[in-house]
Structure formats: C-alpha cells, structure tokens
Amino acid sequence: FSINEVGLHSLLHIFTTIEDTNIICKNPKYMEKLRELSRKILDSEELKLKEGLLEIDNYLMEKKISPGGSGDMLASLFF
C-alpha cells in the first residue's frame, strides 16, 4: 500500500470509531451515516476505495459537514 492508501484506510477506521464533535454537534445522525458508509467500504470484499470515498465526499458536501476532528486524528498519525 502507498502512504496515501494507508492514510485513506486510516481515515475510514477513524470515522468508524471516534465521535467527531464537528459532525455530532451539527447532527448526530450524520455521524451514524458516515460510519455506515465507512464500514461499507472497509467490509467490502471487492475494495472499491475510490468509489466509496467519492460517495463519502458527496455526502459530506451535501450535508455541509467537515470532519475536522477526524482530520486532526489522521494528521496525528503522520506527525
């Protein structure tokens, strides 16, 4: 795996495990949906990472949410 792929997989795992307060404060159901989308990608036998991430990106933009807490956690993995 490349460093980018490791980062993307890590971000999906972060989405499924932490409570991102940037999302929770806007609407807790948004966090539930983000977890569901992330699990779907991680549990897929036929890994379609790019398509799954585009689905997540579209969802985040549609709901106007920024997973800043998750991004901070991801950044801490690299530094």
Side-chain angles (χ1 to χ4, degrees), residues 3-32:
I3 190 85
N4 290 337
E5 290 171 320
V6 170
L8 293 171
H9 282 274
S10 298
L11 184 59
L12 292 171
H13 282 283
I14 289 168
F15 285 157
T16 63
T17 56
I18 72 160
E19 299 288 328
D20 190 317
T21 55
N22 288 342
I23 299 171
I24 297 282
C25 288
K26 189 149 189 175
N27 187 330
K29 290 184 181 190
Y30 294 168
M31 190 74 233
E32 292 171 23

